[in-house]
Amino acid sequence: MARRTKIYEGKAKILYEGPEPGTIVQYFKDDATAFNAEKKDVIEGKGVLNNRLSEFFMTGLNNIGVPTHFIRRLNMREQLVRACEIVPLEIIVRNYAAGSISKRLGLEEGTQLPRPIVEYCYKDDALGDPLVTEEHIAAFGWASQQDMDDILSLALRVNDFLSGVMLAVGIRLVDFKIEVGRVYDGDLMRLIVADEISPDSCRLWDIETGQKLDKDVFRRDLGNLTDAYSEVARRLGVMPKTVTKPTLIN
Ligand code: UDP
Protein backbone atom coordinates (compact mmCIF):
# COMPACT_ATOMS: atom_id res chain seq x y z
CA MET A 1 0.00 0.00 0.00
CA ALA A 2 1.35 3.43 -0.91
CA ARG A 3 2.18 5.74 1.95
CA ARG A 4 -0.10 8.75 2.25
CA THR A 5 1.23 12.21 1.71
CA LYS A 6 1.03 14.37 4.78
CA ILE A 7 -0.01 17.91 3.85
CA TYR A 8 0.07 19.53 7.27
CA GLU A 9 0.34 18.65 10.93
CA GLY A 10 -1.30 20.97 13.44
CA LYS A 11 -1.77 20.84 17.20
CA ALA A 12 -4.80 18.52 17.20
CA LYS A 13 -5.06 17.22 13.64
CA ILE A 14 -3.06 15.90 10.70
CA LEU A 15 -4.14 16.47 7.10
CA TYR A 16 -3.30 13.91 4.40
CA GLU A 17 -3.90 14.04 0.68
CA GLY A 18 -7.32 12.54 -0.05
CA PRO A 19 -8.13 9.70 -2.47
CA GLU A 20 -9.49 12.06 -5.13
CA PRO A 21 -8.35 15.51 -6.22
CA GLY A 22 -9.95 18.21 -4.09
CA THR A 23 -10.29 15.95 -1.05
CA ILE A 24 -8.34 15.75 2.19
CA VAL A 25 -8.24 13.18 4.98
CA GLN A 26 -8.45 14.86 8.37
CA TYR A 27 -6.96 12.74 11.20
CA PHE A 28 -7.87 13.66 14.81
CA LYS A 29 -4.99 13.25 17.27
CA ASP A 30 -5.26 12.80 21.03
CA ASP A 31 -2.97 15.78 21.65
CA ALA A 32 -4.39 18.64 23.70
CA THR A 33 -2.75 22.05 23.82
CA ALA A 34 -3.73 25.31 25.49
CA PHE A 35 -2.33 28.81 25.97
CA ASN A 36 -0.80 28.78 22.50
CA ALA A 37 0.74 25.31 23.11
CA GLU A 38 2.45 26.28 26.40
CA LYS A 39 0.39 23.54 28.09
CA LYS A 40 0.41 20.15 26.35
CA ASP A 41 -0.79 16.63 27.05
CA VAL A 42 -2.00 13.50 25.32
CA ILE A 43 -5.60 12.73 26.31
CA GLU A 44 -6.46 9.19 25.32
CA GLY A 45 -9.68 9.01 23.30
CA LYS A 46 -10.04 12.74 22.63
CA GLY A 47 -9.40 12.37 18.89
CA VAL A 48 -12.04 9.65 18.54
CA LEU A 49 -14.63 11.78 20.34
CA ASN A 50 -13.85 14.95 18.38
CA ASN A 51 -13.99 13.07 15.07
CA ARG A 52 -17.51 11.86 15.92
CA LEU A 53 -18.71 15.14 17.40
CA SER A 54 -17.40 17.19 14.50
CA GLU A 55 -19.10 14.74 12.11
CA PHE A 56 -22.36 15.19 14.04
CA PHE A 57 -22.29 19.01 13.95
CA MET A 58 -21.05 19.33 10.36
CA THR A 59 -23.64 16.81 9.09
CA GLY A 60 -26.38 18.74 10.89
CA LEU A 61 -25.17 21.99 9.33
CA ASN A 62 -25.02 20.44 5.84
CA ASN A 63 -28.59 19.18 6.37
CA ILE A 64 -29.94 22.66 7.10
CA GLY A 65 -28.10 24.17 4.15
CA VAL A 66 -25.05 25.62 5.89
CA PRO A 67 -22.20 24.47 3.63
CA THR A 68 -19.27 22.72 5.31
CA HIS A 69 -16.17 20.88 4.14
CA PHE A 70 -17.38 17.58 5.65
CA ILE A 71 -17.92 14.71 3.18
CA ARG A 72 -17.96 11.54 5.31
CA ARG A 73 -16.33 9.85 8.25
CA LEU A 74 -13.82 7.20 7.21
CA ASN A 75 -13.03 5.49 10.50
CA MET A 76 -12.60 6.13 14.24
CA ARG A 77 -10.10 8.94 13.78
CA GLU A 78 -10.43 10.13 10.20
CA GLN A 79 -12.88 11.97 8.04
CA LEU A 80 -12.89 12.87 4.37
CA VAL A 81 -13.30 16.60 3.78
CA ARG A 82 -13.33 18.95 0.85
CA ALA A 83 -10.06 20.75 0.24
CA CYS A 84 -10.41 24.51 0.61
CA GLU A 85 -8.31 27.62 0.93
CA ILE A 86 -8.50 28.51 4.61
CA VAL A 87 -9.22 32.19 5.32
CA PRO A 88 -6.56 33.19 7.90
CA LEU A 89 -9.12 34.16 10.54
CA GLU A 90 -10.55 32.53 13.64
CA ILE A 91 -14.19 33.53 13.82
CA ILE A 92 -15.46 33.61 17.39
CA VAL A 93 -19.13 33.89 18.32
CA ARG A 94 -20.04 34.65 21.93
CA ASN A 95 -23.42 34.38 23.64
CA TYR A 96 -22.17 34.68 27.23
CA ALA A 97 -18.97 36.28 28.51
CA ALA A 98 -16.06 33.93 29.25
CA GLY A 99 -12.35 33.63 28.61
CA SER A 100 -10.62 36.46 26.81
CA ILE A 101 -13.64 38.80 26.50
CA SER A 102 -14.19 38.59 30.26
CA LYS A 103 -10.59 39.64 30.88
CA ARG A 104 -10.53 42.27 28.17
CA LEU A 105 -13.79 44.00 29.14
CA GLY A 106 -13.99 43.09 32.83
CA LEU A 107 -17.16 41.05 32.41
CA GLU A 108 -17.98 38.36 34.92
CA GLU A 109 -17.86 34.90 33.34
CA GLY A 110 -21.39 33.73 32.53
CA THR A 111 -22.85 37.20 31.92
CA GLN A 112 -25.35 36.98 29.09
CA LEU A 113 -24.35 39.30 26.25
CA PRO A 114 -26.99 41.69 24.82
CA ARG A 115 -26.74 39.82 21.50
CA PRO A 116 -24.31 37.36 19.92
CA ILE A 117 -20.97 39.09 19.47
CA VAL A 118 -18.72 38.06 16.58
CA GLU A 119 -14.97 38.63 16.84
CA TYR A 120 -12.12 37.94 14.46
CA CYS A 121 -8.59 36.83 15.29
CA TYR A 122 -5.75 36.65 12.81
CA LYS A 123 -4.56 33.03 12.55
CA ASP A 124 -0.91 33.23 13.46
CA ASP A 125 0.45 31.04 16.27
CA ALA A 126 3.69 33.03 16.51
CA LEU A 127 1.63 36.14 17.31
CA GLY A 128 -0.83 34.26 19.56
CA ASP A 129 -3.80 34.74 17.18
CA PRO A 130 -4.36 38.46 17.89
CA LEU A 131 -7.81 40.03 17.84
CA VAL A 132 -8.25 42.11 14.68
CA THR A 133 -10.94 44.40 13.32
CA GLU A 134 -12.59 44.46 9.90
CA GLU A 135 -10.28 47.39 9.10
CA HIS A 136 -7.22 45.14 9.42
CA ILE A 137 -8.94 42.36 7.49
CA ALA A 138 -9.80 44.70 4.59
CA ALA A 139 -6.51 46.62 4.61
CA PHE A 140 -4.35 43.48 4.58
CA GLY A 141 -6.63 41.71 2.09
CA TRP A 142 -7.34 38.65 4.26
CA ALA A 143 -10.97 38.73 3.14
CA SER A 144 -13.12 40.98 0.95
CA GLN A 145 -16.23 42.86 2.09
CA GLN A 146 -18.39 40.24 0.35
CA ASP A 147 -16.46 37.48 2.17
CA MET A 148 -17.03 39.27 5.49
CA ASP A 149 -20.79 39.48 4.84
CA ASP A 150 -20.83 35.75 4.05
CA ILE A 151 -18.64 34.92 7.07
CA LEU A 152 -20.93 36.84 9.43
CA SER A 153 -23.99 35.10 8.03
CA LEU A 154 -22.33 31.65 8.29
CA ALA A 155 -21.16 32.35 11.85
CA LEU A 156 -24.63 33.40 13.02
CA ARG A 157 -26.33 30.43 11.35
CA VAL A 158 -23.83 28.07 12.99
CA ASN A 159 -24.53 29.82 16.30
CA ASP A 160 -28.31 29.38 15.98
CA PHE A 161 -27.95 25.73 15.01
CA LEU A 162 -25.42 24.81 17.69
CA SER A 163 -27.22 26.78 20.43
CA GLY A 164 -30.47 24.93 19.66
CA VAL A 165 -28.87 21.48 19.47
CA MET A 166 -27.10 22.08 22.78
CA LEU A 167 -30.10 23.60 24.54
CA ALA A 168 -32.10 20.49 23.68
CA VAL A 169 -29.67 18.40 25.74
CA GLY A 170 -29.34 20.80 28.65
CA ILE A 171 -26.10 22.47 27.56
CA ARG A 172 -25.45 26.19 27.20
CA LEU A 173 -23.37 27.24 24.19
CA VAL A 174 -21.27 29.99 25.75
CA ASP A 175 -19.00 30.65 22.75
CA PHE A 176 -17.24 28.88 19.91
CA LYS A 177 -14.69 29.33 17.17
CA ILE A 178 -15.02 28.36 13.52
CA GLU A 179 -12.78 28.59 10.51
CA VAL A 180 -13.97 29.04 6.95
CA GLY A 181 -12.44 28.18 3.60
CA ARG A 182 -12.91 29.07 -0.04
CA VAL A 183 -13.96 26.51 -2.62
CA TYR A 184 -14.28 27.07 -6.35
CA ASP A 185 -17.15 25.64 -8.41
CA GLY A 186 -16.31 26.67 -11.95
CA ASP A 187 -16.16 30.47 -11.95
CA LEU A 188 -17.92 30.72 -8.61
CA MET A 189 -16.16 31.02 -5.27
CA ARG A 190 -18.04 30.16 -2.07
CA LEU A 191 -17.15 30.06 1.57
CA ILE A 192 -17.76 26.93 3.60
CA VAL A 193 -17.30 26.00 7.26
CA ALA A 194 -14.04 24.09 7.61
CA ASP A 195 -11.65 22.71 10.29
CA GLU A 196 -13.67 21.16 13.15
CA ILE A 197 -16.53 21.90 15.52
CA SER A 198 -15.95 20.08 18.79
CA PRO A 199 -15.64 20.74 22.52
CA ASP A 200 -12.03 21.75 21.75
CA SER A 201 -13.36 24.87 20.03
CA CYS A 202 -16.55 25.60 22.02
CA ARG A 203 -17.42 26.53 25.59
CA LEU A 204 -20.21 24.26 26.78
CA TRP A 205 -21.73 24.53 30.26
CA ASP A 206 -24.36 22.32 31.81
CA ILE A 207 -27.46 24.53 32.11
CA GLU A 208 -28.42 23.23 35.57
CA THR A 209 -25.06 22.92 37.31
CA GLY A 210 -22.78 25.15 35.26
CA GLN A 211 -20.35 22.23 34.94
CA LYS A 212 -17.83 22.80 32.15
CA LEU A 213 -17.93 20.20 29.38
CA ASP A 214 -15.26 21.63 27.08
CA LYS A 215 -11.53 22.29 26.75
CA ASP A 216 -11.55 24.59 29.80
CA VAL A 217 -11.52 21.31 31.79
CA PHE A 218 -7.99 20.85 30.42
CA ARG A 219 -6.97 24.52 30.40
CA ARG A 220 -8.00 25.00 34.03
CA ASP A 221 -7.28 21.47 35.39
CA LEU A 222 -10.93 20.82 36.29
CA GLY A 223 -10.93 17.04 35.86
CA ASN A 224 -10.94 14.41 33.17
CA LEU A 225 -11.31 15.82 29.67
CA THR A 226 -12.54 12.65 27.96
CA ASP A 227 -15.23 12.22 30.63
CA ALA A 228 -16.48 15.73 29.82
CA TYR A 229 -16.43 15.19 26.03
CA SER A 230 -18.03 11.72 26.45
CA GLU A 231 -20.87 13.35 28.40
CA VAL A 232 -21.52 15.76 25.51
CA ALA A 233 -21.42 12.83 23.05
CA ARG A 234 -23.72 10.74 25.25
CA ARG A 235 -26.33 13.49 25.56
CA LEU A 236 -26.32 14.09 21.82
CA GLY A 237 -26.66 10.36 21.12
CA VAL A 238 -23.29 10.30 19.39
CA MET A 239 -21.22 7.20 20.17
CA PRO A 240 -23.77 5.59 22.50
CA LYS A 241 -21.28 2.86 23.30
CA THR A 242 -18.42 4.09 25.43
CA VAL A 243 -14.99 3.40 24.01
CA THR A 244 -13.13 1.19 26.38
CA LYS A 245 -9.74 -0.34 26.00
CA PRO A 246 -9.82 -4.10 25.51
CA THR A 247 -8.86 -5.87 28.72
CA LEU A 248 -7.15 -9.21 28.93
CA ILE A 249 -8.98 -11.73 31.05
CA ASN A 250 -6.82 -14.44 32.54
N1 UDP B 1 -10.91 29.16 20.62
C1 UDP B 1 -10.37 28.16 19.84
N2 UDP B 1 -9.08 28.30 19.38
C2 UDP B 1 -8.33 29.38 19.65
C3 UDP B 1 -8.88 30.41 20.45
C4 UDP B 1 -10.17 30.27 20.91
O1 UDP B 1 -11.02 27.16 19.56
O2 UDP B 1 -7.18 29.45 19.19
C5 UDP B 1 -12.29 29.03 21.13
C6 UDP B 1 -12.32 28.76 22.62
O3 UDP B 1 -12.33 27.37 22.87
C7 UDP B 1 -13.60 29.41 23.04
C8 UDP B 1 -13.77 30.58 22.05
O4 UDP B 1 -12.97 30.26 20.93
O5 UDP B 1 -14.69 28.52 22.87
C9 UDP B 1 -13.39 31.91 22.64
O6 UDP B 1 -12.08 31.83 23.16
P1 UDP B 1 -11.41 33.04 23.94
O7 UDP B 1 -11.17 34.16 23.01
O8 UDP B 1 -12.19 33.32 25.16
O9 UDP B 1 -9.97 32.50 24.25
P2 UDP B 1 -9.30 31.80 25.47
O10 UDP B 1 -10.02 32.14 26.72
O11 UDP B 1 -9.39 30.35 25.09
O12 UDP B 1 -7.93 32.37 25.39
Side-chain angles (χ1 to χ4, degrees):
M1 214 167 71
R3 226 183 136 66
R4 284 188 301 190
T5 311
K6 195 193 274 190
I7 302 173
Y8 174 79
E9 178 155 5
K11 286 175 279 192
K13 294 187 293 295
I14 305 173
L15 303 182
Y16 296 100
E17 252 173 29
E20 294 131 39
T23 64
I24 283 178
V25 173
Q26 187 165 257
Y27 174 99
F28 287 76
K29 301 196 279 184
D30 279 344
D31 300 26
T33 61
F35 311 119
N36 207 12
E38 272 170 42
K39 179 175 170 137
K40 286 188 205 161
D41 206 348
V42 176
I43 314 274
E44 212 182 317
K46 181 176 84 84
V48 175
L49 282 156
N50 280 352
N51 185 26
R52 288 290 191 131
L53 283 164
S54 203
E55 171 191 18
F56 177 81
F57 297 128
M58 295 283 187
T59 305
L61 286 168
N62 283 338
N63 286 340
I64 61 160
V66 178
T68 81
H69 71 163
F70 182 81
I71 301 173
R72 66 175 182 276
R73 188 170 56 79
L74 296 172
N75 55 48
M76 295 275 277
R77 285 186 183 272
E78 294 176 333
Q79 46 184 244
L80 188 67
V81 300
R82 202 167 161 185
C84 59
E85 242 172 50
I86 293 285
V87 174
L89 296 174
E90 300 207 328
I91 299 132
I92 293 173
V93 183
R94 304 178 183 274
N95 299 305
Y96 295 81
S100 68
I101 199 174
S102 288
K103 282 201 207 98
R104 206 181 325 126
L105 301 182
L107 295 170
E108 193 185 335
E109 288 216 316
T111 309
Q112 186 167 18
L113 299 170
R115 61 183 175 90
I117 293 179
V118 182
E119 295 177 342
Y120 305 101
C121 294
Y122 179 53
K123 255 173 78 70
D124 186 320
D125 281 341
L127 299 175
D129 300 338
L131 186 71
V132 290
T133 68
E134 292 194 50
E135 273 290 288
H136 301 109
I137 296 168
F140 295 115
W142 298 324
S144 67
Q145 189 52 54
Q146 177 65 54
D147 291 342
M148 292 312 288
D149 293 347
D150 294 348
I151 288 173
L152 181 63
S153 152
L154 281 175
L156 294 176
R157 291 178 77 192
V158 173
N159 187 42
D160 285 346
F161 171 75
L162 281 185
S163 296
V165 167
M166 291 301 179
L167 189 63
V169 296
I171 295 175
R172 168 164 300 151
L173 178 67
V174 173
D175 58 29
F176 65 93
K177 183 261 313 188
I178 54 167
E179 294 184 23
V180 301
R182 297 189 175 92
V183 287
Y184 299 87
D185 294 315
D187 287 347
L188 283 182
M189 186 280 285
R190 336 185 260 136
L191 288 164
I192 61 175
V193 178
D195 190 49
E196 72 178 281
I197 300 179
S198 75
D200 266 8
S201 51
C202 301
R203 281 198 172 90
L204 305 170
W205 297 355
D206 182 89
I207 284 180
E208 295 293 323
T209 64
Q211 189 194 350
K212 293 183 177 23
L213 299 169
D214 56 57
K215 207 164 104 178
D216 274 347
V217 171
F218 171 73
R219 291 190 190 99
R220 305 180 186 186
D221 293 318
L222 299 175
N224 184 302
L225 193 71
T226 37
D227 285 354
Y229 288 19
S230 300
E231 175 61 13
V232 176
R234 188 192 64 76
R235 290 196 200 184
L236 292 169
V238 178
M239 291 183 73
K241 283 177 249 125
T242 42
V243 193
T244 45
K245 271 202 287 183
T247 43
L248 286 174
I249 302 163
N250 296 315

PDB file of all heavy atoms in Angstrom, residues 90 92 94 98-100 129 175-177 200-203 219, ligand 1:
ATOM      1  N   GLU A  90      -9.738  33.334  12.724  1.00  0.00           N
ATOM      2  CA  GLU A  90     -10.550  32.534  13.635  1.00  0.00           C
ATOM      3  C   GLU A  90     -11.786  33.371  13.906  1.00  0.00           C
ATOM      4  O   GLU A  90     -11.681  34.533  14.307  1.00  0.00           O
ATOM      5  CB  GLU A  90      -9.786  32.267  14.929  1.00  0.00           C
ATOM      6  CG  GLU A  90      -8.497  31.520  14.654  1.00  0.00           C
ATOM      7  CD  GLU A  90      -8.022  30.673  15.805  1.00  0.00           C
ATOM      8  OE1 GLU A  90      -8.265  31.067  16.954  1.00  0.00           O
ATOM      9  OE2 GLU A  90      -7.406  29.631  15.533  1.00  0.00           O
ATOM     10  N   ILE A  92     -14.948  33.974  16.067  1.00  0.00           N
ATOM     11  CA  ILE A  92     -15.457  33.607  17.388  1.00  0.00           C
ATOM     12  C   ILE A  92     -16.843  34.219  17.569  1.00  0.00           C
ATOM     13  O   ILE A  92     -17.053  35.397  17.261  1.00  0.00           O
ATOM     14  CB  ILE A  92     -14.490  34.112  18.487  1.00  0.00           C
ATOM     15  CG1 ILE A  92     -13.157  33.349  18.377  1.00  0.00           C
ATOM     16  CG2 ILE A  92     -15.099  33.945  19.880  1.00  0.00           C
ATOM     17  CD1 ILE A  92     -12.064  33.836  19.278  1.00  0.00           C
ATOM     18  N   ARG A  94     -19.835  34.726  20.478  1.00  0.00           N
ATOM     19  CA  ARG A  94     -20.043  34.646  21.931  1.00  0.00           C
ATOM     20  C   ARG A  94     -21.489  34.972  22.276  1.00  0.00           C
ATOM     21  O   ARG A  94     -22.022  35.981  21.812  1.00  0.00           O
ATOM     22  CB  ARG A  94     -19.152  35.655  22.649  1.00  0.00           C
ATOM     23  CG  ARG A  94     -17.682  35.502  22.335  1.00  0.00           C
ATOM     24  CD  ARG A  94     -16.883  36.573  23.048  1.00  0.00           C
ATOM     25  NE  ARG A  94     -15.470  36.489  22.714  1.00  0.00           N
ATOM     26  CZ  ARG A  94     -14.601  35.702  23.338  1.00  0.00           C
ATOM     27  NH1 ARG A  94     -14.991  34.920  24.326  1.00  0.00           N
ATOM     28  NH2 ARG A  94     -13.321  35.696  22.987  1.00  0.00           N
ATOM     29  N   ALA A  98     -16.990  34.906  28.657  1.00  0.00           N
ATOM     30  CA  ALA A  98     -16.063  33.930  29.248  1.00  0.00           C
ATOM     31  C   ALA A  98     -14.701  34.158  28.600  1.00  0.00           C
ATOM     32  O   ALA A  98     -14.613  34.830  27.562  1.00  0.00           O
ATOM     33  CB  ALA A  98     -16.524  32.497  29.002  1.00  0.00           C
ATOM     34  N   GLY A  99     -13.678  33.607  29.222  1.00  0.00           N
ATOM     35  CA  GLY A  99     -12.347  33.632  28.614  1.00  0.00           C
ATOM     36  C   GLY A  99     -11.849  35.032  28.319  1.00  0.00           C
ATOM     37  O   GLY A  99     -11.974  35.938  29.137  1.00  0.00           O
ATOM     38  N   SER A 100     -11.342  35.216  27.096  1.00  0.00           N
ATOM     39  CA  SER A 100     -10.621  36.463  26.806  1.00  0.00           C
ATOM     40  C   SER A 100     -11.513  37.699  26.842  1.00  0.00           C
ATOM     41  O   SER A 100     -11.052  38.772  27.228  1.00  0.00           O
ATOM     42  CB  SER A 100      -9.884  36.352  25.472  1.00  0.00           C
ATOM     43  OG  SER A 100     -10.800  36.281  24.418  1.00  0.00           O
ATOM     44  N   ASP A 129      -2.466  34.482  17.771  1.00  0.00           N
ATOM     45  CA  ASP A 129      -3.798  34.738  17.177  1.00  0.00           C
ATOM     46  C   ASP A 129      -4.425  36.040  17.692  1.00  0.00           C
ATOM     47  O   ASP A 129      -5.444  36.021  18.400  1.00  0.00           O
ATOM     48  CB  ASP A 129      -4.771  33.579  17.485  1.00  0.00           C
ATOM     49  CG  ASP A 129      -4.295  32.241  16.931  1.00  0.00           C
ATOM     50  OD1 ASP A 129      -3.490  32.241  15.999  1.00  0.00           O
ATOM     51  OD2 ASP A 129      -4.741  31.205  17.473  1.00  0.00           O
ATOM     52  N   ASP A 175     -19.692  30.053  23.898  1.00  0.00           N
ATOM     53  CA  ASP A 175     -19.005  30.648  22.748  1.00  0.00           C
ATOM     54  C   ASP A 175     -18.403  29.531  21.917  1.00  0.00           C
ATOM     55  O   ASP A 175     -18.397  28.366  22.328  1.00  0.00           O
ATOM     56  CB  ASP A 175     -17.926  31.664  23.190  1.00  0.00           C
ATOM     57  CG  ASP A 175     -16.859  31.056  24.097  1.00  0.00           C
ATOM     58  OD1 ASP A 175     -16.582  29.858  23.978  1.00  0.00           O
ATOM     59  OD2 ASP A 175     -16.299  31.791  24.934  1.00  0.00           O
ATOM     60  N   PHE A 176     -17.936  29.870  20.742  1.00  0.00           N
ATOM     61  CA  PHE A 176     -17.236  28.881  19.908  1.00  0.00           C
ATOM     62  C   PHE A 176     -16.413  29.598  18.856  1.00  0.00           C
ATOM     63  O   PHE A 176     -16.578  30.800  18.639  1.00  0.00           O
ATOM     64  CB  PHE A 176     -18.223  27.905  19.226  1.00  0.00           C
ATOM     65  CG  PHE A 176     -19.135  28.562  18.228  1.00  0.00           C
ATOM     66  CD1 PHE A 176     -18.808  28.626  16.878  1.00  0.00           C
ATOM     67  CD2 PHE A 176     -20.324  29.132  18.635  1.00  0.00           C
ATOM     68  CE1 PHE A 176     -19.646  29.248  15.953  1.00  0.00           C
ATOM     69  CE2 PHE A 176     -21.172  29.756  17.729  1.00  0.00           C
ATOM     70  CZ  PHE A 176     -20.829  29.809  16.391  1.00  0.00           C
ATOM     71  N   LYS A 177     -15.538  28.809  18.241  1.00  0.00           N
ATOM     72  CA  LYS A 177     -14.694  29.326  17.168  1.00  0.00           C
ATOM     73  C   LYS A 177     -14.911  28.484  15.914  1.00  0.00           C
ATOM     74  O   LYS A 177     -15.009  27.257  16.022  1.00  0.00           O
ATOM     75  CB  LYS A 177     -13.231  29.210  17.608  1.00  0.00           C
ATOM     76  CG  LYS A 177     -12.212  29.755  16.676  1.00  0.00           C
ATOM     77  CD  LYS A 177     -11.498  28.797  15.777  1.00  0.00           C
ATOM     78  CE  LYS A 177     -10.939  27.542  16.339  1.00  0.00           C
ATOM     79  NZ  LYS A 177     -10.106  26.762  15.429  1.00  0.00           N
ATOM     80  N   ASP A 200     -13.339  21.060  21.735  1.00  0.00           N
ATOM     81  CA  ASP A 200     -12.035  21.752  21.745  1.00  0.00           C
ATOM     82  C   ASP A 200     -12.199  23.214  21.355  1.00  0.00           C
ATOM     83  O   ASP A 200     -11.362  24.049  21.709  1.00  0.00           O
ATOM     84  CB  ASP A 200     -11.086  21.114  20.718  1.00  0.00           C
ATOM     85  CG  ASP A 200     -10.190  20.040  21.320  1.00  0.00           C
ATOM     86  OD1 ASP A 200     -10.401  19.680  22.487  1.00  0.00           O
ATOM     87  OD2 ASP A 200      -9.288  19.566  20.593  1.00  0.00           O
ATOM     88  N   SER A 201     -13.236  23.516  20.573  1.00  0.00           N
ATOM     89  CA  SER A 201     -13.362  24.871  20.034  1.00  0.00           C
ATOM     90  C   SER A 201     -14.648  25.574  20.483  1.00  0.00           C
ATOM     91  O   SER A 201     -15.029  26.593  19.925  1.00  0.00           O
ATOM     92  CB  SER A 201     -13.299  24.810  18.502  1.00  0.00           C
ATOM     93  OG  SER A 201     -14.210  23.857  18.021  1.00  0.00           O
ATOM     94  N   CYS A 202     -15.321  24.986  21.494  1.00  0.00           N
ATOM     95  CA  CYS A 202     -16.547  25.605  22.023  1.00  0.00           C
ATOM     96  C   CYS A 202     -16.418  25.719  23.543  1.00  0.00           C
ATOM     97  O   CYS A 202     -15.660  24.977  24.152  1.00  0.00           O
ATOM     98  CB  CYS A 202     -17.761  24.715  21.799  1.00  0.00           C
ATOM     99  SG  CYS A 202     -18.142  24.288  20.112  1.00  0.00           S
ATOM    100  N   ARG A 203     -17.208  26.609  24.144  1.00  0.00           N
ATOM    101  CA  ARG A 203     -17.419  26.531  25.593  1.00  0.00           C
ATOM    102  C   ARG A 203     -18.829  26.025  25.814  1.00  0.00           C
ATOM    103  O   ARG A 203     -19.796  26.620  25.307  1.00  0.00           O
ATOM    104  CB  ARG A 203     -17.221  27.888  26.270  1.00  0.00           C
ATOM    105  CG  ARG A 203     -15.769  28.237  26.465  1.00  0.00           C
ATOM    106  CD  ARG A 203     -15.554  29.344  27.495  1.00  0.00           C
ATOM    107  NE  ARG A 203     -14.135  29.483  27.766  1.00  0.00           N
ATOM    108  CZ  ARG A 203     -13.326  30.313  27.081  1.00  0.00           C
ATOM    109  NH1 ARG A 203     -13.815  31.071  26.131  1.00  0.00           N
ATOM    110  NH2 ARG A 203     -12.043  30.366  27.381  1.00  0.00           N
ATOM    111  N   ARG A 219      -7.680  23.248  30.182  1.00  0.00           N
ATOM    112  CA  ARG A 219      -6.968  24.522  30.396  1.00  0.00           C
ATOM    113  C   ARG A 219      -6.856  24.837  31.888  1.00  0.00           C
ATOM    114  O   ARG A 219      -5.847  25.323  32.355  1.00  0.00           O
ATOM    115  CB  ARG A 219      -7.727  25.683  29.736  1.00  0.00           C
ATOM    116  CG  ARG A 219      -7.742  25.679  28.230  1.00  0.00           C
ATOM    117  CD  ARG A 219      -8.314  27.015  27.717  1.00  0.00           C
ATOM    118  NE  ARG A 219      -8.591  27.025  26.297  1.00  0.00           N
ATOM    119  CZ  ARG A 219      -9.797  26.826  25.772  1.00  0.00           C
ATOM    120  NH1 ARG A 219     -10.849  26.606  26.548  1.00  0.00           N
ATOM    121  NH2 ARG A 219      -9.969  26.852  24.460  1.00  0.00           N
TER     122      ARG A 219
HETATM  123  N1  UDP B   1     -10.915  29.164  20.620  1.00  0.00           N
HETATM  124  C1  UDP B   1     -10.367  28.160  19.843  1.00  0.00           C
HETATM  125  N2  UDP B   1      -9.080  28.299  19.376  1.00  0.00           N
HETATM  126  C2  UDP B   1      -8.329  29.384  19.646  1.00  0.00           C
HETATM  127  C3  UDP B   1      -8.880  30.407  20.453  1.00  0.00           C
HETATM  128  C4  UDP B   1     -10.173  30.273  20.912  1.00  0.00           C
HETATM  129  O1  UDP B   1     -11.022  27.161  19.563  1.00  0.00           O
HETATM  130  O2  UDP B   1      -7.177  29.451  19.192  1.00  0.00           O
HETATM  131  C5  UDP B   1     -12.288  29.028  21.126  1.00  0.00           C
HETATM  132  C6  UDP B   1     -12.318  28.764  22.620  1.00  0.00           C
HETATM  133  O3  UDP B   1     -12.334  27.374  22.874  1.00  0.00           O
HETATM  134  C7  UDP B   1     -13.604  29.407  23.038  1.00  0.00           C
HETATM  135  C8  UDP B   1     -13.773  30.583  22.051  1.00  0.00           C
HETATM  136  O4  UDP B   1     -12.972  30.256  20.934  1.00  0.00           O
HETATM  137  O5  UDP B   1     -14.687  28.520  22.872  1.00  0.00           O
HETATM  138  C9  UDP B   1     -13.390  31.915  22.637  1.00  0.00           C
HETATM  139  O6  UDP B   1     -12.079  31.834  23.156  1.00  0.00           O
HETATM  140  P1  UDP B   1     -11.405  33.041  23.944  1.00  0.00           P
HETATM  141  O7  UDP B   1     -11.169  34.163  23.011  1.00  0.00           O
HETATM  142  O8  UDP B   1     -12.189  33.321  25.161  1.00  0.00           O
HETATM  143  O9  UDP B   1      -9.969  32.496  24.250  1.00  0.00           O
HETATM  144  P2  UDP B   1      -9.304  31.796  25.473  1.00  0.00           P
HETATM  145  O10 UDP B   1     -10.021  32.145  26.721  1.00  0.00           O
HETATM  146  O11 UDP B   1      -9.387  30.350  25.089  1.00  0.00           O
HETATM  147  O12 UDP B   1      -7.932  32.367  25.395  1.00  0.00           O
END
